[in-house]
Amino acid sequence: MFAEKLSSMLNRLLKPQPKYITVAARPDGAAPERMLPPDRMPAHVAIIMDGNGRWAQNRGLPRSAGHASGTEALRDIIRASDDWGIQALSLYAFSTENWARSKDEVNALMGLLLKYFNSEIDELDEKNVCIRILGDIDGLPEPQREAVERAMERTRDNTGLKLNIALNYGGHAELLRAAQRLARRVQAGEMQPEEITKEDFEAELYTAGLPPVDLLIRTSGEVRTSNFLPWQTAYAEMIFDPVLWPDYDRAHYLKNLREYAARDRRYGGVKGETCGENTEENS
Ligand code: FPP
């Protein structure tokens, strides 16, 4: 045991660590993008993919065409996240409020969802991607529910990119669900209310076991978070990119990651001071 630990420590020390993560040759033959220092990469990125409707409208197309084009962008961004070693990617695909859209639009989105899971699952599994659905799966139509359950089951032991797709998701509903699950545990005599910790609460969220969101990106220029991962984004850096989602590509993503890397994250503290340092200003 000790020998194993020592050898892994030595390996880490002796192996030169990359100064930058670089992206392998791109399919279009363009030069690999120079990436960010690994310690400046976000572990968990969440994206609100907004602007499909406007993209379609600008072209005189039905809204469903915007969603179809948005699915292509989603494919590309999932691959980029995998290529670039992002640990977790959470995508807001369908909110609990989206049921209020026209029947045609909801059907189009559900159709795309089914098509996506059926056509991509082999490649995602091959790439060691672990799929998780955030949201109330029981509220989905039967074929979609079965498809996402199959995808989760098939990829559950994969150790690569953690791909979380929010479907029939609402942040308030998620928080209420967590509170109710904890209340049941209290009622069953498993714990006292005052014993409930932050970790207990997080274990009841759809994102249990995932790192908190480091970076939240929303496209289309809207500046709000629309009930997406309210607990998990408490300390997230936020970027509101004006580009409409179907036009969002690796170059935009890389630009957003660079902006994130340049930000100074303080988590409510003061830069350069540790909690033990009481200066005149902060004591
Ligand atoms: C918001 O744009 C986008 C959505 C409500 C759907 C997002 C879905 C996808 C990108 C594709 C389907 C997902 C999967 C997993 C296959 P909007 O329609 O509100 O745009 P608007 O604000 O311009 O009207």
Side-chain angles (χ1 to χ4, degrees):
M1 187 68 185
F2 175 73
E4 256 174 47
K5 268 198 179 151
L6 188 68
S7 126
S8 106
M9 238 170 71
L10 279 174
N11 269 342
R12 249 182 289 137
L13 282 174
L14 295 174
K15 196 174 149 208
Q17 296 299 314
K19 203 159 171 238
Y20 290 91
I21 292 173
T22 47
V23 182
R26 288 177 13 195
D28 58 6
E33 298 115 334
R34 197 153 185 250
M35 283 294 289
L36 314 162
D39 63 345
R40 286 274 168 173
M41 287 289 276
H44 189 169
V45 178
I47 307 184
I48 302 176
M49 309 177 286
D50 197 11
N52 293 350
R54 276 163 284 170
W55 183 93
Q57 201 178 14
N58 292 345
R59 288 163 176 75
L61 297 170
R63 294 178 61 83
S64 56
H67 296 313
S69 198
T71 306
E72 294 307 315
L74 165 143
R75 268 198 189 96
D76 191 27
I77 294 312
I78 292 171
R79 288 199 186 108
S81 303
D82 179 48
D83 290 345
W84 299 344
I86 302 278
Q87 269 181 53
L89 174 69
S90 296
L91 300 168
Y92 206 2
F94 195 90
S95 75
T96 44
E97 288 72 40
N98 286 152
W99 296 109
R101 295 192 176 199
S102 77
K103 213 169 156 219
D104 278 355
E105 188 171 347
V106 170
N107 285 344
L109 278 165
M110 289 297 142
L112 281 169
L113 193 69
L114 201 56
K115 203 166 138 206
Y116 176 79
F117 275 94
N118 291 333
S119 65
E120 298 295 297
I121 187 65
D122 288 342
E123 184 186 331
L124 292 172
D125 191 24
E126 211 168 281
K127 285 181 184 272
N128 201 20
V129 172
C130 175
I131 298 171
R132 186 190 300 203
I133 302 300
L134 314 177
D136 180 12
I137 302 179
D138 292 336
L140 294 175
E142 191 75 7
Q144 282 74 10
R145 188 176 60 74
E146 279 175 14
V148 298
E149 277 178 346
R150 265 200 312 274
M152 280 197 289
E153 183 56 33
R154 179 164 162 189
T155 62
R156 62 179 300 154
D157 296 325
N158 287 353
T159 54
L161 171 70
K162 293 180 192 312
L163 173 61
N164 313 303
I165 302 189
L167 286 177
N168 196 20
Y169 174 88
H172 288 168
E174 180 187 32
L175 298 179
L176 280 173
R177 175 180 174 268
Q180 287 162 357
R181 287 161 71 105
L182 285 170
R184 261 183 238 119
R185 288 179 60 191
V186 170
Q187 203 173 34
E190 281 176 40
M191 65 206 309
Q192 294 299 313
E194 55 280 5
E195 287 168 4
I196 298 173
T197 62
K198 179 174 172 269
E199 288 70 27
D200 292 326
F201 197 83
E202 286 176 344
E204 301 297 349
L205 297 174
Y206 292 121
T207 48
L210 295 173
V213 173
D214 295 307
L215 170 63
L216 174 75
I217 299 168
R218 181 177 189 144
T219 58
S220 93
E222 305 291 349
V223 185
R224 56 180 173 271
T225 59
S226 300
N227 206 15
F228 189 40
L229 302 175
W231 176 286
Q232 300 86 339
T233 55
Y235 279 99
E237 292 297 321
M238 299 194 183
I239 294 181
F240 298 95
D241 195 310
V243 69
L244 301 177
W245 177 252
D247 291 328
Y248 191 83
D249 60 16
R250 280 173 180 246
H252 293 102
Y253 195 17
L254 190 58
K255 184 191 76 184
N256 291 159
L257 291 176
R258 287 213 170 97
E259 182 178 337
Y260 166 83
R263 294 224 183 143
D264 176 22
R265 299 187 77 192
R266 293 198 296 270
Y267 299 94
V270 176
K271 200 181 177 197
E273 284 171 4
T274 66
C275 58
E277 283 173 347
N278 263 346
T279 62
E280 261 172 42
E281 295 95 76
N282 75 350
S283 58

